Amino acid sequence: MGYLKKILNNCKEVSLLTLKSKEEQLSLQQKFELKFHKYFCKCCKNFEKQSAQIDKSMKAFFNSPPLKASDNFKEKLKQKLK
Amino acid sequence: MQENTLNYNKWVDNYTDYLYSFAFYKVGKKEEAEDIVQETFLSAFKARETYNGKASEKTWLMAILKNKIIDYYRKPKVIKSFSSYLDDTEDSFENVFFDKDNHGRWTEQIAENYFSKAADGYLLSKEFQKFLSICLLKMPVKLRSIFISKYIEDDIAENICKEHNITPSNYWVMIFRSKTLLRNCLEKKGVVD
């Protein structure tokens, strides 16, 4: 009972593991704990969804450069590349 | 000769903002970001004979930028004690986002949110991207620095750990904290503004 209670409540560990699971293999036990927890926990499910949304918008963010370097700096670069 | 100079001018026109944006969000200071971009172009210029056109110019320049950023983190004056940063901020992070009296569950009910309901188009919209930029700038620079590495040419954990001399477990804690802060900030933007 203690074990189930622990994995039902440990949002911090579960959400961290969720991120890790996108890149790395988890152990069978970890996989089970994630599934079990997320079945009952809307918050962690939501965190997972938002994490994917953040990834998507971060990629778009850097694709159209969010900042502009100053014209002075660009001019200086052009002088150096001669 | 004339034609070559034009080519390098084009590099500057086409890629400076792109390289500078990454460098700035990474190191958090204008002068240092400019130095990194300048060194990137100078190295590219020196190695221009070795560019074989297999990768796009942008990808090639990004690879050089990444190396310059690694050099930057090797400099002794750059504070890079990521693990002591994590130790120092552990309690405050926990107290804000997790409820110790309730088995460590999220303190807030984060199940009902504005941007999880948003369509993909909205995530790429000017409005949302503006919120993202505000929220990124609010993040502690050490955290942001690691976080955005992930998005530089889709980098993987193993490389990022090596480049910044951090352990995989610290890396995942930093990614987790970054996303927790970011989603929290983005939610507030959506609700307040």
Side-chain angles (χ1 to χ4, degrees):
Chain A
M1 200 52 201
Y3 171 67
L4 286 188
K5 202 168 183 182
K6 195 184 138 242
I7 56 177
L8 274 176
N9 285 306
N10 201 346
C11 294
K12 198 180 90 171
E13 207 168 302
V14 164
S15 281
L16 191 149
L17 272 182
T18 300
L19 298 183
K20 205 171 162 181
S21 72
K22 309 294 173 198
E23 270 189 56
E24 288 171 19
Q25 272 294 351
L26 301 182
S27 69
L28 271 178
Q29 188 186 343
Q30 287 173 323
K31 278 185 201 165
F32 163 76
E33 291 180 4
L34 276 194
K35 267 224 158 101
F36 188 77
H37 181 106
K38 277 189 285 190
Y39 184 80
F40 294 102
C41 180
K42 280 192 179 142
C43 292
C44 284
K45 239 189 273 177
N46 188 53
F47 182 85
E48 180 174 20
K49 185 174 180 197
Q50 292 194 323
S51 163
Q53 290 174 306
I54 287 173
D55 286 341
K56 198 170 274 175
S57 63
M58 279 294 287
K59 275 181 197 164
F61 184 69
F62 282 109
N63 261 334
S64 49
L67 301 174
K68 287 212 180 322
S70 73
D71 291 338
N72 276 347
F73 176 57
K74 288 181 189 169
E75 214 28 66
K76 197 176 109 193
L77 287 176
K78 286 179 183 172
Q79 292 309 316
K80 296 216 174 211
L81 299 182
K82 271 184 180 164
Chain B
M1 205 51 209
Q2 178 71 32
E3 201 175 301
N4 280 342
T5 308
L6 279 178
N7 272 340
Y8 305 130
N9 282 349
K10 240 192 210 162
W11 278 5
V12 174
D13 290 332
N14 289 344
Y15 306 119
T16 305
D17 291 341
Y18 184 74
L19 299 171
Y20 175 75
S21 294
F22 268 115
F24 181 84
Y25 278 95
K26 186 91 194 152
V27 301
K29 288 184 190 137
K30 179 173 172 272
E31 294 75 24
E32 293 177 358
E34 285 185 350
D35 284 348
I36 289 172
V37 173
Q38 180 173 312
E39 283 169 32
T40 300
F41 276 120
L42 290 177
S43 291
F45 186 68
K46 267 187 216 149
R48 61 194 181 279
E49 305 292 332
T50 65
Y51 174 63
N52 54 20
K54 268 188 192 152
S56 71
E57 276 181 348
K58 191 165 150 185
T59 305
W60 183 61
L61 288 167
M62 270 311 274
I64 299 173
L65 180 85
K66 265 178 73 176
N67 284 323
K68 295 300 165 194
I69 288 173
I70 296 171
D71 290 346
Y72 170 82
Y73 280 99
R74 284 208 189 108
K75 283 183 192 163
K77 70 178 166 80
V78 178
I79 303 152
K80 53 208 148 184
S81 51
F82 291 107
S83 62
S84 67
Y85 164 79
L86 283 180
D87 293 344
D88 294 347
T89 50
E90 169 96 29
D91 284 348
S92 53
F93 177 81
E94 297 258 312
N95 290 338
V96 172
F97 294 106
F98 297 96
D99 187 350
K100 272 195 191 128
D101 297 332
N102 189 16
H103 316 282
R105 298 191 66 88
W106 294 99
T107 39
E108 264 178 277
Q109 273 301 316
I110 62 166
E112 286 295 321
N113 295 137
Y114 104 97
F115 85 86
S116 48
K117 295 196 204 103
D120 280 2
Y122 179 64
L123 299 176
L124 312 179
S125 72
K126 278 224 168 77
E127 184 184 66
F128 191 77
Q129 298 275 311
K130 198 187 88 200
F131 295 156
L132 185 60
S133 131
I134 294 169
C135 291
L136 279 171
L137 290 174
K138 275 192 185 162
M139 279 171 79
V141 68
K142 276 188 190 167
L143 216 48
R144 187 177 69 214
S145 179
I146 298 296
F147 177 62
I148 70 162
S149 300
K150 207 170 132 56
Y151 303 97
I152 301 184
E153 308 277 297
D154 277 329
D155 215 343
I156 56 166
E158 198 189 335
N159 292 341
I160 299 170
C161 288
K162 231 185 278 165
E163 289 160 15
H164 298 82
N165 199 18
I166 50 176
T167 61
S169 97
N170 279 346
Y171 170 78
W172 287 109
V173 171
M174 292 180 95
I175 296 296
F176 173 60
R177 284 202 200 172
S178 302
K179 284 195 162 164
T180 302
L181 290 176
L182 206 51
R183 66 150 296 285
N184 185 264
C185 175
L186 288 168
E187 281 301 335
K188 285 191 183 133
K189 283 282 140 207
V191 175
V192 175
D193 284 42

